[in-house]
Amino acid sequence: MDTNIGALNSCKPVSGGVGSPPNGAAAAIQGPAPPVGAPTPPWAATSPAASSRSASPTSSPSPATSTSRSSTTSLPSPGSTSSAAAMSSTQGTPLTGTPRARGVGACVVTFTVGGLSVLNAIAGAYSENLPVVCIVGGPNSNDYGTNRILHHTIGLPDFSQEPRCFQTVTCFQAVVNNLEDAHELIDTAISTALKESKPVYISISCNLPAIPHPTFSREPVPFALSPKLTNPMGLEAAVEAAAEFLNKAVKPVMVGGPKLRVAKACDAFVELADASGYAVAVMPSAKGLVPEHHPHFIGTYWGAVSTAFCAEIVESADAYLFAGPIFNDYSSVGYSLLLKKEKAIILQPDRVVIGNGPSFGCILMKDFLKALTKRLKQNPTAYENYHRIYVPDGHPLKCEPKES
């Protein structure tokens, strides 16, 4: 977990207070794209304008909008279109919903009062492996190193409380109080969020957004992140071991977990299910990642409270492939699942563990599932057993007119 704090800036402050609205206001910064060939206004070369556009080349058309109590906006830039609404107990909903649907989300909050309000939602995004960029309107860069006390803080001349709170629930924290390294910190933060699929924290001093700086290009260059690669030799060894393990099983099953999304392996999982004919189930926190209309879908595997007849098929299987599972007290119903490790293949986003035997690292789940699809024999036995014992929900008989 990295923390980067910029050096003090000697430039004169534009304002003496925190560059964001009181009472924890927040809004998404979303500026309309200028026409092709149109001159770029001077504000486009400033740090907030650049940070608001940095996420645009990603899979999210627009960032999530998280709002707090005030309806005013934070860190405005000329020509930008911002939106805000009243704060409620469900403030964090767009912070987790938008990254699931679009790949990345963003929120803008005030220093301390807004940051601490959104902290719970950021922690939820961290636990769910959701990339969220949390932008904070920080103290004036000239206030660092002084004994000045700011409004809506804890009443101490210590500006490190908020970054320290975010340190355990974000994968990168950037405190931007110097324009010299602002571009590097903002780029590093956003790229880290996308690569790690975790939230990041960016605090920008309130007097910096209106100051142009040459490091912020008027025509931003889209991100080009280095892709993660699979070790080919490790992949071949893992696929060979897994294929041998599954092909000798009589009634194997497949269970999808919540890390299918972060591994971007949902389609590869379905392709494997189509080719193998295995019965397919999902864990409760993975609902929506596997199509429930799949021909061999048998329901949600959740121990004693599973979909009817689903647990019987999964727990009676002689081999089960879990793709991206998280076994906590909730998903395991108090650690009561009747599973045996020696029968399981556990796939994590970059690791494969086969029963009590070998473990293979540096293998992307998507690549493993695609390679395994070509090596498995079709075996629909588990689904046939499910179809044999399945009893559909009953429907009351229709009464004829005047029938007693």
Side-chain angles (χ1 to χ4, degrees), residues 62-131:
S62 61
T65 303
S66 174
T67 58
S68 293
R69 286 176 291 178
S70 174
S71 61
T72 55
T73 59
S74 176
L75 286 174
S77 57
S80 66
T81 303
S82 303
S83 59
M87 178 182 177
S88 69
S89 60
T90 58
Q91 173 186 352
T93 301
L95 283 185
T96 57
T98 301
R100 294 179 197 274
R102 298 180 177 179
V104 65
C107 67
V108 181
V109 296
T110 53
F111 181 64
T112 303
V113 62
L116 298 185
S117 294
V118 81
L119 189 64
N120 183 60
I122 296 297
Y126 188 94
S127 68
E128 295 289 336
N129 299 297
L130 300 171

Side-chain angles (χ1 to χ4, degrees), residues 183-235:
H183 190 282
E184 179 184 358
L185 289 175
I186 292 172
D187 268 7
T188 303
I190 296 176
S191 61
T192 302
L194 297 176
K195 289 188 291 186
E196 302 295 330
S197 194
K198 295 283 188 181
V200 294
Y201 168 91
I202 304 176
S203 173
I204 302 178
S205 291
C206 63
N207 59 314
L208 301 185
I211 304 175
H213 195 270
T215 57
F216 290 94
S217 172
R218 293 174 179 267
E219 295 296 333
V221 178
F223 273 153
L225 302 178
S226 301
K228 294 181 178 180
L229 300 177
T230 292
N231 176 7
M233 296 181 65
L235 176 63

Side-chain angles (χ1 to χ4, degrees), residues 229-232 234-235 349-352 360-365 367:
L229 300 177
T230 292
N231 176 7
L235 176 63
D350 58 357
R351 178 163 293 273
V352 179
F360 304 90
C362 300
I363 298 174
L364 299 183
M365 184 190 299
D367 295 339

Side-chain angles (χ1 to χ4, degrees), residues 207-280:
N207 59 314
L208 301 185
I211 304 175
H213 195 270
T215 57
F216 290 94
S217 172
R218 293 174 179 267
E219 295 296 333
V221 178
F223 273 153
L225 302 178
S226 301
K228 294 181 178 180
L229 300 177
T230 292
N231 176 7
M233 296 181 65
L235 176 63
E236 178 61 28
V239 170
E240 183 179 353
E244 181 182 359
F245 184 90
L246 293 171
N247 284 335
K248 69 181 181 181
V250 177
K251 43 183 180 179
V253 298
M254 297 171 55
V255 183
K259 292 185 180 180
L260 276 172
R261 179 186 49 76
V262 67
K264 296 179 173 59
C266 296
D267 292 340
F269 183 84
V270 174
E271 290 174 9
L272 179 60
D274 291 338
S276 65
Y278 293 176
V280 179

Side-chain angles (χ1 to χ4, degrees), residues 372-388:
L372 186 61
T373 299
K374 304 173 184 177
R375 303 283 289 273
L376 288 185
K377 300 175 182 177
Q378 194 169 54
N379 187 349
T381 304
Y383 180 75
E384 291 172 355
N385 290 344
Y386 168 80
H387 190 70
R388 186 180 302 115

